[in-house]
Amino acid sequence: MPMVLLECDQDIPERERHIYFKAPGEDSRDYLPAANAPTIPGTLSERGCSFCGAKLVIGGVLKDTIQMIHGPLGCAYDTWHTKRYPSDNGHFQLKYSWSTDMKESHIVFGGEKRLEKCMHEAFDAMPEIKRMVVYTTCPTALIGDDVKAVVKKVTAARTDVDIFTVECPGFAGVSQSKGHHVLNIGWVSEKVGTVEPEITSEYTINFIGDYNIQGDTDVLQRYWDRLGIQVIAHFTGNSTYDACRSMHRAKLNVVNCARSAGYIANELKRLYGIPRLDIDSWGFNYMAEAIRKVASFFGLEEKAEELIAEETAKWKPQLDWYKERLQGKKMAIWTGGPRLWHWTKAVEDDLGVEVVAMSSKFGHEEDFEKVIARGRNGTYYIDDPNELEFFEIMDKAKPDIIFTGPRVGDLVKKLHIPYVNGHAYHNGPYMGFEGFVNMARDMYNATHNPLFRLAAIDIRDDRALLVEEAA
Ligand code: CFM
């Protein structure tokens, strides 16, 4: 009985197809959870919308670009500043967001004029910024505003600007995953190949599917620099709009998040013949393996070994200190999808932590293939979970720590289980050698924090206090 029908799902038995419990000796190919499917009516999904997948995850990371969101104010507000992807130009992209603030009359009479006015206003207000991404949202897509025609007009009036249009309203797909796809394909077909980069090394890569969460990109950039590898474009951590237009000139595409950006790597291979190399950037073993793979493509094996030895000598003692104290702890990962397969073996091998439950909001079946192959027996694998399932699984799996976002994090607090932000991190970066020490430190601080035990005491009950004092 490897697929699981939870107690709370008795009224929506279709949910059984989405929850797998891995047992020894099974052929897991027979039991892949259904994924990337429409959410079942009756279940309160934790998913985001397709527009969010394009804007919050990929487009909004660009550090020199106006993000014009053609829709009601909430679409702009709710995809702004919840994600921490800093940049080396003063975090322009974190400070600002733009909305056409569509109201009822604009919906009735059309919003094209309003969009045109807003685009000019934004460029006038920020004269040093010459790049813009315009997004449609549910209402403006439904009323049929011709955004591309407006972009054409504005570009004709301002010859020094470049504008990219993302037509991916919230309802375009079953989750944010659709937004990744639309942005990837749109960008590679309309923008890649329109700028020529300055080539400074014979070893050139694009680093794809890394969004500089709390400085991840910066850590990896130091490794590429030491190997003498030039990064033509980061897609899109700490990146400029124009760097991403010159991706066609790299010799290799190195892919971290295959879910959100595997599409552009595949297209770059198809259109320009650039090979794709997937890596894992979290964890000591994985990071070393990644550096070896990239270096061996260019014949830089020796330099790679030096780098790995140096970084290991510097950070391994700290990692081991945490490993000693985290050994045997149980962990749940409740995020988007890829971090499940990036992390489960990394925390097991490098920290001795067992991952006992993993849920993916929008991963596809291929993500479940990867995570089930890498994950342990006796672990739950869940697609598109709801809140009641979360509580029931936590009760069964009993993790000591949960990696998830602030929304599920609030539920976690009610259970008096420590939580670490698995999306934007607590105190990152988490990638690379030093990053994984940060991740271990945050796990240690969370699991050893006495507040969680104290917070679980009902202070209305004097006896509980007495028991606590006696302890
Ligand atoms: Fe890729 Fe990401 Fe992730 Fe993701 Fe995300 Fe994310 Fe995630 Mo939150 S791009 S798929 S859409 S690794 S925002 S930085 S943490 S759910 S597992």
Side-chain angles (χ1 to χ4, degrees):
M1 194 213 54
M3 303 311 286
V4 182
L5 181 61
L6 295 174
E7 200 59 39
C8 63
D9 285 335
Q10 298 300 325
D11 293 328
I12 33 176
E14 304 95 308
R15 283 291 303 156
E16 185 175 358
R17 292 174 52 234
H18 300 265
I19 304 173
Y20 172 59
F21 182 78
K22 184 175 171 181
E26 277 163 8
D27 186 341
S28 52
R29 285 174 301 183
D30 298 337
Y31 302 114
L32 214 50
N36 194 31
T39 295
I40 298 163
T43 180
L44 186 59
S45 173
E46 293 167 1
R47 281 170 160 173
C49 73
S50 301
F51 153 71
C52 175
K55 195 275 161 183
L56 181 65
V57 178
I58 307 179
V61 186
L62 294 169
K63 67 181 173 186
D64 62 347
T65 301
I66 291 170
Q67 305 285 321
M68 179 60 70
I69 294 141
H70 187 33
L73 206 52
C75 304
Y77 180 78
D78 287 329
T79 53
W80 177 50
H81 75 28
T82 50
K83 201 78 177 285
R84 290 177 283 184
Y85 27 67
S87 64
D88 57 12
N89 67 341
H91 322 301
F92 175 80
Q93 74 289 358
L94 293 181
K95 288 181 189 157
Y96 303 104
S97 187
W98 292 261
S99 168
T100 53
D101 190 18
M102 293 286 282
K103 293 283 194 289
E104 194 174 0
S105 65
H106 313 122
I107 297 294
V108 172
F109 297 107
E112 288 171 17
K113 283 208 180 79
R114 189 169 177 81
L115 174 62
E116 186 182 344
K117 184 169 156 273
C118 288
M119 289 169 76
H120 284 300
E121 250 178 43
F123 278 128
D124 287 342
M126 309 247 156
E128 72 289 2
I129 301 290
K130 302 291 182 197
R131 302 290 177 257
M132 179 184 281
V133 181
V134 184
Y135 303 84
T136 55
T137 57
C138 298
T140 53
L142 279 173
I143 62 174
D145 274 0
D146 189 346
V147 173
K148 286 217 161 147
V150 177
V151 167
K152 226 172 167 185
K153 255 174 114 179
V154 174
T155 318
R158 294 177 174 265
T159 48
D160 57 349
V161 304
D162 199 275
I163 304 169
F164 176 57
T165 310
V166 180
E167 295 192 273
C168 184
F171 55 76
V174 301
S175 71
Q176 51 266 67
S177 178
K178 181 67 179 183
H180 306 153
H181 184 245
V182 170
L183 192 143
N184 272 240
I185 300 301
W187 187 268
V188 73
S189 17
E190 289 171 35
K191 295 298 173 192
V192 173
T194 57
V195 158
E196 286 303 322
E198 192 194 335
I199 305 284
T200 55
S201 164
E202 56 178 305
Y203 316 118
T204 51
I205 63 169
N206 293 312
F207 191 45
I208 293 179
D210 156 49
Y211 305 99
N212 202 27
I213 305 299
Q214 284 207 34
D216 278 346
T217 308
D218 306 337
V219 174
L220 292 225
Q221 180 63 49
R222 288 201 288 276
Y223 302 159
W224 311 133
D225 284 345
R226 278 161 70 183
L227 293 169
I229 292 172
Q230 181 190 358
V231 180
I232 301 284
H234 290 100
F235 189 82
T236 51
N238 191 34
S239 193
T240 63
Y241 183 103
D242 281 7
C244 290
R245 294 165 76 187
S246 61
M247 296 177 87
H248 58 297
R249 289 294 179 219
K251 288 187 178 151
L252 178 68
N253 287 315
V254 180
V255 178
N256 177 67
C257 178
R259 179 71 286 123
S260 64
Y263 314 105
I264 196 164
N266 291 348
E267 282 300 284
L268 289 167
K269 185 171 179 197
R270 189 177 67 84
L271 297 168
Y272 302 99
I274 309 169
R276 164 179 168 171
L277 179 68
D278 286 31
I279 63 164
D280 299 89
S281 309
W282 292 276
F284 271 49
N285 287 344
Y286 278 152
M287 194 66 246
E289 186 187 313
I291 290 170
R292 284 193 181 106
K293 285 202 287 193
V294 175
S296 70
F297 181 83
F298 295 112
L300 298 167
E301 288 89 343
E302 247 174 68
K303 274 191 170 177
E305 291 312 319
E306 270 169 37
L307 169 63
I308 293 163
E310 228 175 83
E311 289 292 313
T312 309
K314 193 165 167 195
W315 300 106
K316 188 80 178 5
Q318 295 188 40
L319 185 82
D320 288 343
W321 190 91
Y322 288 115
K323 183 176 184 176
E324 224 174 86
R325 288 154 181 85
L326 289 169
Q327 191 85 247
K329 291 273 184 238
K330 292 181 179 169
M331 169 178 173
I333 308 171
W334 215 262
T335 57
R339 289 182 185 198
L340 281 51
W341 50 262
H342 280 299
W343 287 353
T344 182
K345 229 173 156 320
V347 297
E348 190 174 336
D349 291 351
D350 291 343
L351 295 171
V353 170
E354 295 170 21
V355 181
V356 291
M358 287 186 268
S359 108
S360 151
K361 284 194 239 189
F362 55 77
H364 295 198
E365 263 126 7
E366 68 183 55
D367 293 288
F368 277 105
E369 280 171 16
K370 291 185 198 170
V371 69
I372 291 170
R374 288 178 169 188
R376 297 165 57 86
N377 287 321
T379 293
Y380 287 95
Y381 303 81
I382 306 137
D383 167 70
D384 186 19
N386 65 49
E387 196 171 300
L388 296 180
E389 290 169 352
F390 169 77
F391 283 123
E392 196 172 327
I393 299 265
M394 290 308 113
D395 202 35
K396 289 178 193 296
K398 301 208 171 7
D400 301 300
I401 183 164
I402 303 171
F403 274 69
T404 186
R407 276 176 298 180
V408 178
D410 263 347
L411 301 177
V412 175
K413 283 182 204 153
K414 292 182 189 173
L415 300 174
H416 305 292
I417 302 173
Y419 120 81
V420 170
N421 191 330
H423 298 262
Y425 308 156
H426 267 27
N427 301 288
Y430 284 175
M431 278 188 188
F433 299 97
E434 65 193 85
F436 210 58
V437 172
N438 292 339
M439 188 166 163
R441 182 207 50 217
D442 284 351
M443 285 167 95
Y444 170 79
N445 287 346
T447 48
H448 289 71
N449 185 344
L451 278 177
F452 284 98
R453 192 169 47 88
L454 293 174
I457 298 169
D458 187 342
I459 55 166
R460 291 167 304 183
D461 185 347
D462 289 344
R463 280 162 309 170
L465 279 176
L466 290 174
V467 171
E468 218 14 67
E469 270 165 26

